[in-house]
Structures are given as C-alpha cells and as structure tokens.
Amino acid sequence: MKSAFWRRLLLAVLALLIIALIFVWYLLDGSRARLDGERHVAGLTTKIRIERDALGTTTIEASTREGISYALGYVHAQERFFEMDLMRRMPAGELSALIGPAALKTDLGHRRHRLRAVVDAAYAQLPPAQKLQLDRYRDGVNAGLVDLRNKPWEYFLLGSRPQPWRSQDSLLVIAAMYLDLNGDGRNERELHIAQMRSVLPGAVVDFLLSPDPDWEAPLSGELSRTPVIPGADVFDLRRTTAGKTTASLIDALPFDAPRPGSNNFAVAGSLTDNRAAMLANDMHLGLGVPNIWFRARLRYPDTTAPHGQREFNGVTLPGTPASVAGSNGQIAWGFTNSYGDWLDWVRVLRDPSNPNRYKVPEGWANIEVHDEHIPVKGRPDTVLKVEGTRWGPILAKDVDGTSLALAWIGDLPRGYNVLQMKLEQAVDAKSALDLASQIGMPPQNLLVADSTGHIGWTITGNSIPLRAGFDPQLPGDWSKPGNGWQGWATPAEYPRIENPADGRLWTANNRTIGGDVLTLLGDGGHDLGARAQQLRDDLRAHAAFTPGNLLDIQLDDRAVLLTRWQQLLQQTLAGTTDSSLQQLRQLTQSWKGRADVDSVDYRLVRAFRMQVSRAVFAPFVARVKQRFGDFSSPVENSAEAAVWMLINAQPANLLDPKYQNWHALLLDAARQVAIDLGKQPGGLAARSWGEQNRSRIDHALSPALPGWLAHFIDMPDDALPGDNNMPRVASSDFGASERLDVSPGHEDKGILEMPGGQSDNPLSPYFRAGHEDWVQGKPTPLLPGATQHTLVLVPVNH
C-alpha cells in the first residue's frame, strides 16, 4: 500500500512538473519573434520584406528610409523589447517601477538629471525629418510588440505589462549611452582630484596623475613630458601621519578596472589589394544577453548610392532607428570613446540671507526645485528633491562644503538628435567627417575608410564646450563674468586628420592629439596608451592588409606592457630562499608573454604588477581617505608612469614607511601573490589565466533566478584570452561587443563577430547564434548567408 501511495505521489509530482514545463514553453514560444509569412500591420503604405539567415542577421528591404525605420522598430521589439525597455528606463530613473526596490539606488542617481525632461525638450526642437524617423520607428516598435502572440516572457516573471514606446524613448537610449560613456553622469574622477589636491602638495598630485610618455601613441602632437619625482623638500611620507595602509585598503584600489572603451583602426587603399581603404572596429562595453547591438542589412532607394540602391551592412542599436557601425558600400565607419572632458563641477555660491538663491554673473538667480516622484513596485512612491541651477543639477559638495552643480553635455537638449543616420548616405570619408560635428551623441573618435582609398579621423558630437576662466579638472566659480562654458566649438575648430602619410590611423581611448586641440577636448581620463601603441606597432608591422589581418590585430593578446614587469619580478626574487617565492620565480621564468587561457606566467606577473601598484599608491590614498572617507583613487589604469618611476628611482621620501626599503615593498608584493594564489586548490602551478578570466555574459534577470534556471538564459561559461592593456580586451562581462573588419565596396570579404546572440528568447534559433565564433575569434561573415526565413509586412488595407 505504501509503495503504491508513493508511486501515485511521484506520478502526480511528475505530472505537475510536466504541466509547468509545458506552460513555460508556451509562454516562451508565444513571445518568439514571427519569422515567416505575411503580417498586416497599421501605418504602412507599401510592403516591407524582412529576411533572416542562420545567424539571425536581418535584411530589411523598403521603398524609403522611413520604411526601414518602421521595420527595424518592428524587428527590434519582437526580438528584444524587454532590453529596450531597460535602456529607456535606466537613464530616466524609472527602473524601480518595473523591477522593484532593488533598482531604487540606480533610479535615485539618474533621476537627479531629469533626463526624460531633457529628451522631451530635445524631441520638441528636432526638425520634422528627424521627428519622422523617430515616429516611424515608434510605430514599428509598437506594431511589433502588439504582434507577438504573448507579451515578452520577462514580463511574466515580473508580473508586469510592457508599456508602449514613445518617440522620445529613442533619445533616452542615447542618454543611456551618455551615462555609460561619461562615467554614469557623476564625474567622480574630478571630485577625487579635488580631494587629492586639498590634502597633498600640487607637485605630488601632478606626479601621481602623470600620463606615461613610454606608452603613448597619439595620432598627432608630442609625447607628454617625463614626470618629475617630488623631492623630500616637497613631500616626505616619513614626516607625515596617516592611517595605516592595510591590506584591505591596498586590495580596494581600482587599478585596471574595465572601462567603456574600444579599438578602431584604418588603413588606406594604398595598403590593400583592392585599392579601397579598410576599417576595423571593436567597441568595448559591458556584455549581456542579448548583445547590445543587432546585426542588420538595410536596403532602400538612394540616388547617391551605387546603382541607386543604398545597402548598409553592420550593427544597429535597438531602441533607435540608427545604424551604428558598418559599411554602406562607399564608406565604412566605427567609433571609440574619446575620453575627452565633457563634465565640469561648478561652485554654487548661495546667498547667505536666502539659501534658495545663488550667485550668477548678473547678480542672483533662484534655485529651481523639482519633486521627482519615483514609482517603486510594491511600495509607495519615493519622492526625490532635485535642486537645479542654470549650469546643471546640484549633485555634490566641494572640499570646503560648498554645493556643486554638474555641467554636463548629456543634460542638454542640444546633445540629442539622430543625424548619425546620415552616415548611411555619406559617399566618401570627407563627407562623413564633415557630418561628425553635427551629430547629437556622446563625443567619440570617428574613423572612416572609403571605397576610393581615403581614411580620416575626427571627433563626433555637436557639444564641445569652449571653456574660460577656470581649471576644468577642479570645481570652478562660474559666477564671475567670463568664467565657464562660453559657447560651443565650431566645425572648423574640430580636430581632423585625413590621409596620413603612412596610410594608418588608430584610436584606443588614448590621448589622440596634443597642443591647443587637447586643451579644447580636455582629459576625461585617457587610457594609459599601451593598447593604442600595440595597435600602432601591429599596423606598422604589415605592408599590406586583408580583413583577416585586421582581425588578427584585434585578437592580439601579447602582453607587451607586462614584459618589463616579468623581468622585474625575476630580479626581485633572485637569490630568495623562500620556497613559495622560489616556485613563483620558476613559474614566471619562462615568459610566453601572452594572455592566453593556459598561461600561468601571465596571471602571476599580472598579479605582481597589480600588487606593487597598489602598495606604491596606498600611503597617498590613505592620507586622502583620512579626511575624505569615500575617496577612491582617480588614477585607475593610468598609474604606470608614477609607479614605474618610483620603483626604479626608489626615493626614500615617497616610500610607505611600513617598508624598510623599496626592495622590501617588491618582495612583500611577490609574497602576497604567492600567498593569495598559492592557497587555492592545486597551488600556484594551477593558476592559469583562463581560470580567472571566465565569461559571465548573463541576461539581466539572471541574478534573480536559481542557478540551474539562470543557466538556461545565459551564455556559456568560457575561458577567455585577452585582458585590458592589449588589443584583445576581455574580462568576465566586459569586452568587444563586436569585431568588424571591412573594406567598403567589398563587403563580401568583411567580418562581423558578435557575442550574446540576436534574440533574448531562449527558444529562438538566434538566442546564442554567433556567440561561439566570438569566443573563438573565428571570422564570421559580415554579409548575411542564405535566407532561412522571410516575413512580409503588408499595409493593413492592402
């Protein structure tokens, strides 16, 4: 009897499990994109054809560009509306309404910018042609959302319903890129520089923040001057007091943390066999499921295009009707983050008799107060009081307690438009470069290559401020006449390089320019330059190029920067009698010099460099943290100049007093590496780079799900070659969001790799499509393959 009972119970449980799985399958299947047949949709006047190949690369053919925008919105919404929803909610500070209290901290930070009000104002002032593109995209998104059999599966998990798309929401997606590429709109770097300067002598701060001329690779301009080490008469750590440089303090220093960036490089037609120029671009961003970009081929009539038919091949940005990077048959283009200075702190001098007023050049102005209501799922609204000035919202305090307003181009309606779409119709490199200064987007390095062999570089973005009367690295007083932002750079003032003599251009978030132009663009935290230098040297090592050669450069994981650190580690450990240090020396003696997944020597040398850098900086950081507890070093990945000079010159006045001499610091750093990594299973010899550098490319809802279920909606866990200071940038959830290699007019030889797949639906054939090629660095064709599915959008009254 008991066995029969348990059998019945087991069968009942299995039946319930099967029913649950069928229900889950039904929900997922019902939210899959429609791939075949005819769909009658409102708002069309002519048919639009949508084809997909095995990778989900979507070919859209329409009679107008407005028709392309409609169909692109339809497809984007069907494949990944939830991610588009997150992209519009994040900058607007509206995530909590969908996700709940877990997103409230993010919403509070972003709502202070009132970016929905900004984009509403931006949309209102756009010319009719741009509004039309956004409106047609909006209509397509909403048609695609309605045409799903079920709402996107994520909304079932969240117990919510998707809200219709608005034209202004596409501008919010651009705002999301401003936040991602401009330090989340917080400008913490310059706050921390001000804190450093209030505690340490100016000469010390200048030295610690110095760029490293050994690793710079600008396109134009001289190398930076060799930094000057401050003498004991300027600053002596042995004569100052501060908190102890504890291990936890050292470990917390954020050296070499991944930052939004990219590589792009171009070669002139004189270096290719087809005489057309060639471009490579890999944009480095946070990686998720699905990927931020969407592979597409767009076809529509254009009298300026070859044979009267415009064809774009590359990536689009879901949430917008724009093509982002790729080739139109006449030009190819791509972007990297410029890391210019697009944010400034302004001291808000309140009226002592009326703190609701503040000083301006013509007298006094009233502080604007906004009560922002943030809906929170499952809770009452949170009300955020936002104080605003003519320069921007009040977000922080200066070192003396004075309120600080943030002037940021991302908070200005002028910084938003969709003129980037015009790159699709550019006929040559010159016309593309001419357009760059008009585009409303975060300022980027734009590289262009054209079908006649020309290449060029400039900065995109229509909002480069003209500064006067203050140090842009510190909070300034803009209440004085003539101080602050005094207008905007004219197109003639934008830097520009065309057809360099050696036929090669490259950028990698490094300083690209010098002199007065560098003063114009500013320094928003340029990359060290080692990656750019390696790109430059790789380009100079070739006399001729194919797209495959460019991909090889993108996949270069040689550890050029760490070679001298391997030599230093060997010198430091020479003659040691400590068994663990002897093993460390032995494991790093044979230097392969690559960040490949099997490399033990790379991981150990990298850890040594990190430990030394943190130990060198720790006493300076400790002194600033003693006064400002929330201080974090603004040096990030550009500390190499100061660290390398100090460990070679070994000045006693700048050595942490906890060490007897500089050799003791180096030895202690090596010992810490041996302890930290040696205590793990298998000891030091088992510590490969691939063990640490494993991909975690996950869906946004993955953290809220059990591990076995999250695995179903995430990408596989793979060991990844590459690292920060080399062309092949890779970390667990950060790296190349695409790898593009193309010669305009010869797209059939082009390459486009992309992680994360096209669709967010685990049942879609495109959920993981192309991801394995990206992991392995396998050349994936840019052009679509054979058509596997065809969908035709038909006017509802046709």
Side-chain angles (χ1 to χ4, degrees):
M1 293 291 291
K2 288 185 177 179
S3 61
F5 169 78
W6 287 112
R7 279 197 301 271
R8 289 195 298 270
L9 180 61
L10 178 60
L11 288 173
V13 171
L14 287 175
L16 288 173
L17 181 59
I18 291 171
I19 292 171
L21 290 175
I22 292 173
F23 181 67
V24 169
W25 179 89
Y26 168 77
L27 295 181
L28 289 172
D29 185 64
S31 63
R32 287 171 59 185
R34 297 185 184 274
L35 304 180
D36 295 290
E38 288 191 353
R39 304 302 301 172
H40 289 76
V41 293
L44 288 184
T45 56
T46 59
K47 291 183 179 181
I48 298 176
R49 186 178 182 88
I50 300 171
E51 299 175 349
R52 288 176 170 89
D53 71 351
L55 290 176
T57 304
T58 302
T59 298
I60 301 176
E61 294 189 37
S63 59
T64 64
R65 185 54 175 87
E66 292 77 23
I68 293 288
S69 294
Y70 182 99
L72 203 54
Y74 180 95
V75 172
H76 285 167
Q78 291 240 316
E79 296 284 14
R80 49 169 80 179
F81 182 83
F82 177 71
E83 288 72 28
M84 293 164 56
D85 195 7
L86 296 183
M87 282 280 277
R88 64 173 169 176
R89 287 177 180 271
M90 186 270 289
E94 298 170 357
L95 287 170
S96 299
L98 178 66
I99 295 173
L104 184 56
K105 182 178 179 181
T106 299
D107 280 352
L108 289 171
H110 293 163
R111 185 62 74 89
R112 297 179 192 279
H113 292 284
R114 304 184 67 245
L115 287 169
R116 185 166 289 282
V118 171
V119 300
D120 283 348
Y123 176 79
Q125 66 187 28
L126 287 178
Q130 292 188 49
K131 283 184 177 179
L132 178 60
Q133 294 290 358
L134 292 173
D135 293 348
R136 298 302 289 143
Y137 182 81
R138 172 204 64 201
D139 295 342
V141 170
N142 291 327
L145 184 61
V146 169
D147 204 26
L148 289 170
R149 291 186 296 277
N150 291 327
K151 63 186 177 182
W153 63 270
E154 293 93 343
Y155 294 96
F156 285 102
L157 286 182
L158 294 170
S160 302
R161 295 200 63 83
Q163 299 301 310
W165 195 261
R166 300 170 66 236
S167 299
Q168 295 90 330
D169 292 341
S170 293
L171 301 181
L172 278 175
V173 173
I174 298 175
M177 300 307 296
Y178 268 105
L179 288 167
D180 195 25
L181 299 171
N182 290 178
D184 207 34
R186 294 184 295 184
N187 201 18
E188 289 185 335
R189 178 177 176 270
E190 290 180 2
L191 278 181
H192 295 321
I193 290 175
Q195 291 171 339
M196 286 183 73
R197 292 197 178 278
S198 71
V199 173
L200 301 172
V204 173
V205 177
D206 290 342
F207 173 69
L208 295 176
L209 300 180
S210 293
D212 193 335
D214 290 345
W215 297 105
E216 291 181 323
L219 296 175
S220 177
E222 300 296 323
L223 298 180
S224 298
R225 296 179 180 178
T226 301
V228 177
I229 299 176
D233 59 322
V234 175
F235 188 69
D236 194 333
L237 287 170
R238 298 167 298 183
R239 301 192 189 118
T240 63
T241 59
K244 292 183 179 180
T245 53
T246 62
S248 60
L249 170 64
I250 293 175
D251 291 342
L253 294 179
F255 289 113
D256 275 354
R259 300 189 302 160
S262 305
N263 301 327
N264 62 9
F265 44 102
V267 294
S270 58
L271 301 174
T272 69
D273 60 357
N274 57 33
R275 311 306 291 174
M278 197 174 295
L279 173 114
N281 183 218
D282 45 297
M283 295 179 279
H284 306 153
L285 297 168
L287 304 177
V289 176
N291 189 35
I292 186 173
W293 313 121
F294 189 86
R295 297 174 67 107
R297 173 168 63 183
L298 311 178
R299 288 174 165 170
Y300 55 96
D302 180 0
T303 57
T304 65
H307 313 296
Q309 179 84 355
R310 178 62 64 195
E311 178 172 306
F312 165 80
N313 288 278
V315 295
T316 62
L317 175 58
T320 77
S323 50
V324 175
S327 175
N328 71 1
Q330 293 172 294
I331 69 161
W333 71 94
F335 299 100
T336 70
N337 198 14
S338 64
Y339 279 98
D341 187 2
W342 317 120
L343 311 92
D344 283 313
W345 289 111
V346 184
R347 289 172 59 84
V348 180
L349 306 178
R350 297 181 187 259
D351 184 351
S353 62
N354 181 0
N356 294 320
R357 298 200 310 170
Y358 66 103
K359 193 174 182 182
V360 295
E362 63 273 20
W364 299 96
N366 292 323
I367 290 176
E368 300 176 5
V369 178
H370 304 273
D371 288 331
E372 293 289 318
H373 290 258
I374 303 177
V376 182
K377 183 180 178 182
R379 287 187 183 178
D381 288 3
T382 293
V383 180
L384 174 68
K385 179 181 177 181
V386 178
E387 292 186 311
T389 70
R390 64 173 55 178
W391 306 302
I394 297 174
L395 300 181
K397 299 283 189 182
D398 203 353
V399 295
D400 63 356
T402 299
S403 295
L404 294 177
L406 184 65
W408 176 38
I409 61 174
D411 279 342
L412 303 176
R414 64 169 286 123
Y416 296 85
N417 62 45
V418 289
L419 279 177
Q420 181 177 338
M421 296 174 65
K422 289 293 185 182
L423 286 172
E424 281 179 24
Q425 286 100 44
V427 298
D428 53 27
K430 180 182 182 301
S431 59
L433 297 177
D434 288 344
L435 179 66
S437 63
Q438 305 170 47
I439 300 174
M441 65 180 293
Q444 303 285 289
N445 292 302
L446 170 66
L447 276 192
V448 185
D450 71 25
S451 58
T452 59
H454 302 291
I455 58 176
W457 163 86
T458 190
I459 295 291
T460 63
N462 63 0
S463 300
I464 296 179
L466 300 175
R467 297 176 168 95
F470 70 104
D471 181 348
Q473 295 287 299
L474 295 172
D477 178 4
W478 293 16
S479 69
K480 299 177 181 177
N483 284 10
W485 291 359
Q486 301 299 308
W488 308 99
T490 65
E493 292 174 293
Y494 276 61
R496 184 162 168 159
I497 296 174
E498 295 180 78
N499 301 317
D502 71 345
R504 297 166 175 86
L505 289 170
W506 60 91
T507 78
N509 317 120
N510 57 308
R511 176 176 69 83
T512 55
I513 212 83
D516 292 340
V517 178
L518 177 59
T519 302
L520 171 68
L521 301 183
D523 178 5
H526 292 129
D527 188 78
L528 169 65
R531 177 161 44 94
Q533 190 178 103
Q534 201 160 325
L535 288 176
R536 180 200 67 188
D537 294 346
D538 283 348
L539 289 169
R540 289 177 175 174
H542 288 74
F545 296 87
T546 66
N549 297 139
L550 299 191
L551 178 61
D552 289 342
I553 293 173
Q554 291 173 314
L555 298 176
D556 181 5
D557 61 6
R558 292 176 302 120
V560 176
L561 174 67
L562 287 192
T563 297
R564 66 185 188 181
W565 284 92
Q566 182 266 347
Q567 296 166 356
L568 175 65
L569 179 58
Q570 290 293 302
Q571 295 165 9
T572 299
L573 299 181
T576 182
T577 58
D578 184 309
S579 59
S580 64
L581 294 182
Q582 286 177 335
Q583 185 188 22
L584 179 59
R585 188 171 194 271
Q586 180 183 7
L587 290 171
T588 57
Q589 192 167 19
S590 179
W591 177 240
K592 296 191 294 291
R594 305 193 81 95
D596 61 54
V597 295
D598 298 322
S599 176
V600 173
D601 57 327
Y602 176 80
R603 182 176 179 184
L604 298 179
V605 172
R606 181 186 189 275
F608 174 66
R609 173 179 176 260
M610 194 75 66
Q611 196 68 29
V612 170
S613 298
R614 288 169 171 167
V616 169
F617 261 75
F620 304 100
V621 172
R623 279 152 180 77
V624 184
K625 283 183 75 71
Q626 191 175 36
R627 179 173 173 188
F628 304 101
D630 62 346
F631 174 77
S632 178
S633 173
V635 179
E636 297 180 344
N637 69 341
S638 301
E640 186 77 6
V643 171
W644 192 253
M645 289 189 71
L646 288 175
I647 61 179
N648 280 277
Q650 302 193 354
N653 63 302
L654 300 181
L655 173 67
D656 190 332
K658 69 185 284 186
Y659 300 109
Q660 184 176 359
N661 52 47
W662 283 93
H663 181 71
L665 181 150
L666 296 173
L667 203 59
D668 183 72
R671 185 175 293 108
Q672 198 60 50
V673 170
I675 292 171
D676 290 345
L677 298 182
K679 66 185 179 184
Q680 300 177 32
L684 283 177
R687 302 283 75 78
S688 68
W689 178 236
E691 178 191 53
Q692 174 179 327
N693 203 43
R694 302 194 69 84
S695 63
R696 286 293 307 273
I697 302 175
D698 299 341
H699 189 280
L701 294 184
S702 178
L705 299 178
W708 65 271
L709 187 55
H711 179 74
F712 181 61
I713 62 172
D714 296 337
M715 291 298 110
D717 176 8
D718 294 301
L720 298 176
D723 199 6
N724 288 343
N725 289 299
M726 57 188 61
R728 188 169 190 166
V729 171
S731 63
S732 61
D733 59 354
F734 181 90
S737 59
E738 44 75 64
R739 297 187 186 106
L740 170 70
D741 306 283
V742 63
S743 189
H746 304 272
E747 288 75 16
D748 58 319
K749 302 292 195 303
I751 297 167
L752 178 58
E753 298 177 357
M754 208 177 75
Q758 284 274 83
S759 175
D760 73 354
N761 192 306
L763 297 186
S764 168
Y766 310 126
F767 178 64
R768 290 192 172 105
H771 179 77
E772 184 62 22
D773 284 357
W774 174 85
V775 172
Q776 300 298 329
K778 178 183 176 182
T780 309
L782 167 64
L783 290 185
T787 299
Q788 292 193 347
H789 299 279
T790 301
L791 178 72
V792 179
L793 302 183
V794 181
V796 73
N797 59 349
H798 186 74

